[in-house]
Amino acid sequence: MHRTISPAVFRGHIFHISGAPTVAEAREHLVSVPDGALVTGVDGTIAWVGPFAELPAAFAGLPVTRTGFIIPGFVDTHIHFPQTYTTDAYGGGQLLEWLDECVFPAESRLENPEFARRVARDFTRRRVSVGTTSALVFGSAFAPAQDALFEESRAAGLRLVSGRGIQTVGTDSARALITSEQAALELTAAEIDRWHATDTGDARTALLQVAIVPRFSLSVTPTTLAGLGELYDSVRGRGVYFHSHLNENDRPGTGEIDAVRSVYGTEKYLDTYDGCFLPGSARGGSSLLGPRSILAHAVHCQNSELARLAETGTSIAHCPTSQAFLGSGTMPWRRTTAFGVNVAIGTDVGGGDEWLVARVLNDCYKAHLSEPGDAGVALDPAALLFTGTLAGARALDMEERFGNFDLGKDADLLLIDPERWEPLALVLNNAVRADDAALAAEQTLFALLLALREPAITGVYVRGRRVSVE
């Protein structure tokens, strides 16, 4: 149930990335206000941000909520709803073995509507607990399960982009998830009509939106891709999204990438999503790339693929935690971002076993610091915050609405009380800080992000409303 929006003042140490920078420019746009005030208006937008001592008289009578830190809500650009109970599942191998042994059987259980509703409730509850205010969610193959997910998200007041997982071919373990090609198109079109922007009627403002989501190229055929391209052509103008996986596993000969190129006869994996899915990368249909298209992983991209992603405005959902779990490798940060591709963070639950975006940012920092030779990079705290917030809003083509605390944007925010998680409080209260104020702020933000745990997140707000799951 939605709660009434009341204008309010939130007081605490404010961190956000202002404006619309690239990740390389994020440090210059880091805003740190140690004793700050953030004012939310009756319309759920940000009415004022600045030092509490300078709070305008017009807001002096509003109720004040004090907290330790205030940051934008986390944006998770790749997470699997039907894998809610599948984290840390032992599959005895890398991606393709794990799918067969763990994921396909687990996802098939959501055919039971009662079980699916329980999963939807637990999934939504976890989202609230970790402060994920917006998420691009890989959905279930079953329409009643997707209805439950949208209903639970709507009741909580969270942002959701999701689409049913499309499979028209697959192994025996995926049998329950597979439909005919015609049924795949019909079910996807029906989900779009049922749920896309139904809460406001406008994709620019909606909390609930739909994506077209083939699991990956190996789960569909050229005929399926041609049909999805035609469908996307008909709904792209309504703001529908496209979401799938790209270049995740590169095990020689038997891995995902070699399998895709062998099955389709294409030069590059990305060609299959770019309408060039016939042998020799000949065009067979419409491209699925664009500003509302997000491809997960992109660990092993060719330079030409990165250039094409940047050219089309397609974003990457970077999932370092799951990539480590499945032995997929490390996405080369310097090379990828140098092409101008927008890279946002994804938990990839259940291949990833961390729901909290900050924990995945922790893995992100470590992974890229450990890249070999000149490829290694120590991501600064502003870049990490950007990747977990504003970059996600950009990937979802919703940067004008949320992702930072610029005036007039929706008030999507987290309240963090370090005293609720003693290890975080000890680090923040006792660590050595630089004499330089700007560097000291970066050090504090770094510790806040890398040491954050769920108990310290005490308030989650979307459009100025506190969200919760009953």
Side-chain angles (χ1 to χ4, degrees), residues 433-456:
R433 294 287 180 257
D435 292 332
D436 177 78
L439 178 55
E442 290 183 300
Q443 292 171 330
T444 297
L445 175 60
F446 188 76
L448 176 66
L449 290 174
L450 267 64
L452 182 63
R453 299 294 190 278
E454 289 179 38

Side-chain angles (χ1 to χ4, degrees), residues 261 265-269 271 280-281 302:
R261 292 170 66 184
T266 57
E267 297 173 5
K268 301 182 291 293
Y269 193 152
D271 291 341
S281 293
Q302 301 177 34

Side-chain angles (χ1 to χ4, degrees), residues 81-82 104 106-113 116 139-148 164-165 174-179 187 191:
F81 153 53
F104 294 151
E107 293 195 3
S108 297
R109 297 175 68 197
L110 275 74
E111 189 172 12
N112 180 319
S140 169
F142 307 109
Q146 283 296 99
D147 288 343
R164 64 173 303 273
R175 191 181 306 113
L177 308 173
I178 297 171
T179 68
L187 287 167
E191 183 175 38

Side-chain angles (χ1 to χ4, degrees), residues 326-342:
L326 292 172
S328 301
T330 301
M331 184 199 79
W333 182 274
R334 288 188 187 275
R335 182 164 69 89
T336 301
T337 58
F339 278 89
V341 186
N342 180 52

Side-chain angles (χ1 to χ4, degrees), residues 120-465:
R121 187 173 299 112
D122 288 344
F123 177 86
T124 304
R125 183 179 294 112
R126 287 305 307 273
R127 278 194 58 192
V128 174
S129 72
V130 296
T132 301
T133 53
S134 182
L136 175 56
V137 179
F138 201 108
S140 169
F142 307 109
Q146 283 296 99
D147 288 343
L149 174 64
F150 277 102
E151 289 162 3
E152 291 289 338
S153 299
R154 179 175 59 190
L158 291 167
R159 297 184 188 273
L160 172 71
V161 179
S162 185
R164 64 173 303 273
I166 299 167
Q167 293 185 246
T168 57
V169 292
T171 59
D172 286 345
S173 65
R175 191 181 306 113
L177 308 173
I178 297 171
T179 68
S180 70
E181 290 172 318
Q182 185 60 37
L185 297 174
E186 291 173 353
L187 287 167
T188 301
E191 183 175 38
I192 293 168
D193 290 340
R194 179 170 174 76
W195 286 110
H196 187 63
T198 54
D199 54 318
T200 67
D202 185 344
R204 295 170 298 180
T205 60
L207 295 182
L208 303 177
Q209 304 198 56
V210 175
I212 293 173
V213 186
R215 180 179 294 277
F216 60 164
S217 295
L218 292 177
S219 70
V220 293
T221 69
T223 303
T224 310
L225 287 171
L228 293 178
E230 291 178 6
L231 175 60
Y232 201 34
D233 282 345
S234 71
V235 298
R236 191 189 288 262
R238 293 165 57 184
V240 172
Y241 293 83
F242 174 76
H243 186 43
S244 195
H245 299 85
L246 174 71
N247 288 329
E248 182 176 1
N249 178 276
D250 195 28
R251 184 173 58 199
T254 59
E256 172 208 22
I257 295 173
D258 280 351
V260 168
R261 292 170 66 184
S262 174
V263 167
Y264 284 88
T266 57
E267 297 173 5
K268 301 182 291 293
Y269 193 152
L270 184 64
D271 291 341
T272 61
Y273 300 131
D274 204 9
C276 301
F277 46 73
L278 298 181
S281 293
R283 182 158 295 282
S286 297
S287 176
L288 295 161
L289 308 183
R292 285 200 167 201
S293 297
I294 301 95
L295 294 172
H297 304 298
V299 178
H300 306 285
C301 286
Q302 301 177 34
N303 285 349
S304 58
E305 291 176 301
L306 294 175
R308 181 61 175 157
L309 292 173
E311 177 188 6
T312 58
T314 302
S315 291
I316 291 171
H318 179 34
C319 308
T321 302
S322 74
Q323 287 153 202
F325 177 75
L326 292 172
S328 301
T330 301
M331 184 199 79
W333 182 274
R334 288 188 187 275
R335 182 164 69 89
T336 301
T337 58
F339 278 89
V341 186
N342 180 52
V343 176
I345 210 71
T347 62
D348 196 23
V349 165
D353 59 354
E354 297 284 2
W355 286 78
L356 177 58
V357 163
R359 299 301 301 148
V360 182
L361 294 173
N362 184 308
D363 287 343
C364 182
Y365 177 80
K366 295 170 183 174
H368 298 300
L369 185 63
S370 301
E371 288 191 62
D374 293 340
V377 57
L379 294 173
D380 62 82
L384 294 173
L385 181 61
F386 171 88
T387 304
T389 57
L390 191 58
R394 184 172 297 166
L396 295 176
D397 196 30
M398 294 290 281
E399 189 175 359
E400 293 183 359
R401 300 305 310 167
F402 61 88
N404 63 16
F405 294 148
D406 287 353
L407 296 183
K409 286 192 177 183
D410 290 348
D412 291 13
L413 58 97
L414 305 182
L415 306 183
I416 300 171
D417 180 1
E419 300 303 323
R420 297 287 293 273
W421 178 247
E422 186 180 31
L424 176 62
L426 292 174
V427 168
L428 291 172
N429 294 335
N430 298 291
V432 174
R433 294 287 180 257
D435 292 332
D436 177 78
L439 178 55
E442 290 183 300
Q443 292 171 330
T444 297
L445 175 60
F446 188 76
L448 176 66
L449 290 174
L450 267 64
L452 182 63
R453 299 294 190 278
E454 289 179 38
I457 300 174
T458 57
V460 181
Y461 293 78
V462 172
R463 284 187 181 161
R465 291 187 181 97

Side-chain angles (χ1 to χ4, degrees), residues 23-159:
V23 66
E25 300 164 338
R27 193 175 189 181
E28 302 166 16
H29 288 253
L30 175 63
V31 174
S32 170
V33 188
D35 184 17
L38 184 150
V39 181
T40 58
V42 69
D43 60 353
T45 63
I46 296 168
W48 190 83
V49 177
F52 184 81
E54 299 174 14
L55 184 69
F59 305 126
L62 295 178
V64 177
T65 298
R66 297 200 64 158
T67 190
F69 294 89
I70 306 167
I71 64 173
F74 289 128
V75 183
D76 187 344
T77 57
H78 185 61
I79 181 170
H80 292 255
F81 153 53
Q83 294 175 27
T84 296
Y85 305 151
T86 316
T87 56
D88 299 302
Y90 177 63
Q94 295 185 351
L95 174 66
L96 298 184
E97 293 81 13
W98 178 75
L99 289 172
D100 264 340
E101 295 296 325
C102 303
V103 170
F104 294 151
E107 293 195 3
S108 297
R109 297 175 68 197
L110 275 74
E111 189 172 12
N112 180 319
E114 183 177 343
F115 180 75
R117 183 160 294 281
R118 190 177 99 197
V119 178
R121 187 173 299 112
D122 288 344
F123 177 86
T124 304
R125 183 179 294 112
R126 287 305 307 273
R127 278 194 58 192
V128 174
S129 72
V130 296
T132 301
T133 53
S134 182
L136 175 56
V137 179
F138 201 108
S140 169
F142 307 109
Q146 283 296 99
D147 288 343
L149 174 64
F150 277 102
E151 289 162 3
E152 291 289 338
S153 299
R154 179 175 59 190
L158 291 167
R159 297 184 188 273

